[in-house]
C-alpha cells in the first residue's frame, strides 16, 4: 500500500503492485559540489539494481565526465531527449537542485526523489548513505508521494524557456539601487495594499521554510491550501505577512525609480520593466515529492530547525 496525499491535505491509501515498474529514471545533480563526487558514484551503482534505463540531465552529465572521468556514461541517455516518458526523477544535491529538477519536470508530474548532499534538505531529505535501502524501497513500492502545490506565473516579457512555475516562492524585488519599490497588490481584483518595500514574497506552503521564513513569514504545513505574502524590509512596521486561500488570483504591479524590477521564481530571476502586470494563481498541476522514510512535518521542523533545543547547554 502507498499513501497518496492530495493537495487538499487528505490522506488516501490505495493499492499498488508490489514491484512497480520503473522503466526510465532521470538523474539530476548539483554541478558545483566537486568534493561530494563519491555520492554520485554510489547512486549510479545503486541504481543498477533497478534494471531501468537511466537518463541524465545534460549539465549534470558534463559535470560527471569532467569530475568522474572513470565513470562510463556510454549506456546512459540524455534527459532532454527522453523526458516525456520518465517514470522517476532523482535529484542529487540540496533543495536548490530539487527546485531546478522540479522546473525541468514542469507540469508533467514525474515523481522526484531528493538525495541530500546540501545543507538543511527539507525537500531533498534522503541521506546519500541511505541510497541502497532507498532503491530497495523503490523496488517494493515502499514509499510515499506527497503532492505539493505550485504557483503559476503569468507576465509579459518573460524570457523564452523561462519556467513560469514556482514550488517555493515568487519574489518581486528592487533591482539595482537602494530605493524602495511600490508593489500594488490586488486579490481577485480587490486592492489589498501598496507594499513600499525592498520586495514582496509570495510563497507556497512548501516555500514557507525558505526565503519567506527569513523575512518573518510563517511556517505553513505543506498540505495547507494557502499562499503567504511576506514583504521584504517594508517601510512601515505595520506591514505584516498575510495568509490567503490558494483559490485566489494575486495581481502585482510595480513602480520603481529605476523603471525596472526583478522577478524571481524559485531563485531564477529576470528583469522586467515597471508597469508589467504579474498574475499569480495556483497551478493546475502539482509537484510529486517521493519520500522513502516518511516523517511528519513537525519532526522535520524540530530536526532541521532545532526547535525546542536549549542552546545554553
Amino acid at each position: 500500500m502507498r499513501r497518496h496525499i492530495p493537495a487538499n491535505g487528505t490522506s488516501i491509501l490505495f493499492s499498488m503492485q508490489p514491484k512497480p515498474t520503473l522503466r526510465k529514471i532521470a538523474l539530476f545533480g548539483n554541478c558545483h559540489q566537486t568534493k561530494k563526487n563519491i555520492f554520485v558514484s554510489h547512486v549510479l551503482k545503486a541504481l543498477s539494481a533497478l534494471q531501468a534505463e537511466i537518463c541524465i540531465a545534460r549539465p549534470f552529465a558534463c559535470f560527471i565526465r569532467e569530475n568522474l572521468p572513470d565513470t562510463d556514461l556510454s549506456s546512459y541517455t540524455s534527459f532532454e531527449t527522453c523526458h516525456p516518458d520518465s517514470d522517476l526523477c532523482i535529484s542529487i544535491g540540496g533543495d536548490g537542485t530539487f527546485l531546478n529538477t522540479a522546473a525541468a519536470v514542469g507540469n508533467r508530474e514525474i515523481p522526484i526523489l531528493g538525495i541530500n548532499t546540501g545543507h538543511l534538505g527539507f525537500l531533498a531529505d534522503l541521506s546519500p548513505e541511505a541510497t541502497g535501502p532507498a532503491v530497495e524501497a523503490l523496488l517494493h513500492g515502499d514509499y510515499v508521494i506527497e503532492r505539493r502545490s505550485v504557483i503559476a506565473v503569468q507576465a509579459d516579457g518573460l524570457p523564452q524557456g523561462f519556467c513560469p512555475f514556482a514550488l517555493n516562492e515568487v519574489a518581486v524585488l528592487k533591482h539595482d539601487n537602494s530605493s524602495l519599490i511600490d508593489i500594488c497588490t490586488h486579490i481577485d481584483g480587490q486592492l489589498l495594499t501598496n507594499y513600499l518595500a525592498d520586495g514582496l514574497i509570495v510563497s507556497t506552503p512548501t516555500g514557507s521554510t525558505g526565503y519567506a521564513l527569513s523575512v518573518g513569514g510563517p511556517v505553513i504545513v505543506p498540505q495547507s491550501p494557502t499562499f503567504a505574502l511576506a514583504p521584504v524590509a517594508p517601510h512601515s512596521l505595520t506591514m505584516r505577512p498575510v495568509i490567503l486561500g490558494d483559490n485566489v488570483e494575486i495581481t502585482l504591479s510595480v513602480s520603481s525609480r529605476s523603471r525596472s524590477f526583478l522577478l524571481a521564481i524559485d531563485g531564477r530571476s529576470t528583469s522586467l520593466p515597471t508597469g508589467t502586470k504579474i498574475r499569480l494563481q495556483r497551478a493546475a498541476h502539482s509537484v510529486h515529492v517521493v519520500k522513502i522514510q516518511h516523517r511528519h512535518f513537525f519532526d522535520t521542523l524540530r530536526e532541521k530547525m532545532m526547535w525546542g533545543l536549549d542552546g545554553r547547554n
Side-chain angles (χ1 to χ4, degrees), residues 62-268:
C62 293
F63 172 82
I64 294 173
R65 289 190 185 97
E66 291 176 4
N67 295 276
L68 294 169
D70 295 334
T71 302
D72 182 11
L73 298 184
S74 59
S75 61
Y76 299 101
T77 56
S78 169
F79 171 79
E80 286 72 13
T81 60
C82 74
H83 60 68
D85 56 350
S86 295
D87 301 300
L88 174 73
C89 288
I90 294 179
S91 170
I92 307 174
D95 284 348
T97 305
F98 194 103
L99 293 175
N100 291 336
T101 304
V105 169
N107 61 1
R108 290 184 291 273
E109 296 193 335
I110 303 171
I112 306 172
L113 172 66
I115 298 175
N116 183 33
T117 61
H119 299 290
L120 283 178
F122 273 94
L123 289 166
D125 61 354
L126 183 72
S127 68
E129 294 78 10
T131 302
V135 168
E136 186 70 19
L138 290 172
L139 281 168
H140 292 88
D142 187 15
Y143 56 91
V144 173
I145 290 182
E146 295 181 359
R147 292 179 60 185
R148 301 294 184 90
S149 61
V150 175
I151 299 174
V153 183
Q154 291 180 309
D156 292 335
L158 290 180
Q160 185 175 4
F162 193 81
C163 179
F165 301 115
L167 173 58
N168 261 11
E169 76 277 312
V170 176
V172 171
L173 304 166
K174 66 180 184 180
H175 199 305
D176 53 5
N177 60 36
S178 59
S179 299
L180 303 177
I181 57 176
D182 187 302
I183 309 161
C184 184
T185 304
H186 286 78
I187 310 298
D188 284 340
Q190 296 295 314
L191 178 66
L192 172 63
T193 190
N194 281 58
Y195 289 98
L196 188 62
D198 283 356
L200 177 68
I201 299 170
V202 181
S203 81
T204 65
T206 298
S208 70
T209 54
Y211 191 6
L213 184 64
S214 72
V215 299
V219 174
I220 307 174
V221 174
Q223 282 74 42
S224 298
T226 56
F227 293 139
L229 276 63
V232 181
H235 185 263
S236 172
L237 293 178
T238 62
M239 288 293 185
R240 297 300 181 191
V242 176
I243 302 293
L244 303 171
D246 64 6
N247 59 342
V248 300
E249 179 182 85
I250 303 169
T251 306
L252 308 176
S253 182
V254 180
S255 299
S256 168
R257 289 184 184 178
S258 66
R259 299 183 180 179
S260 63
F261 65 96
L262 284 178
L263 173 67
I265 302 176
D266 279 351
R268 306 176 300 276

Side-chain angles (χ1 to χ4, degrees), residues 271-301:
S271 179
L272 295 175
T274 54
T276 303
K277 284 191 179 297
I278 302 169
R279 292 180 175 84
L280 308 177
Q281 291 179 296
R282 177 168 178 163
H285 71 280
S286 57
V287 170
H288 291 200
V289 182
V290 177
K291 298 288 186 178
I292 300 295
Q293 298 169 331
H294 191 258
R295 305 177 63 196
H296 197 282
F297 179 65
F298 300 153
D299 296 330
T300 303
L301 281 181

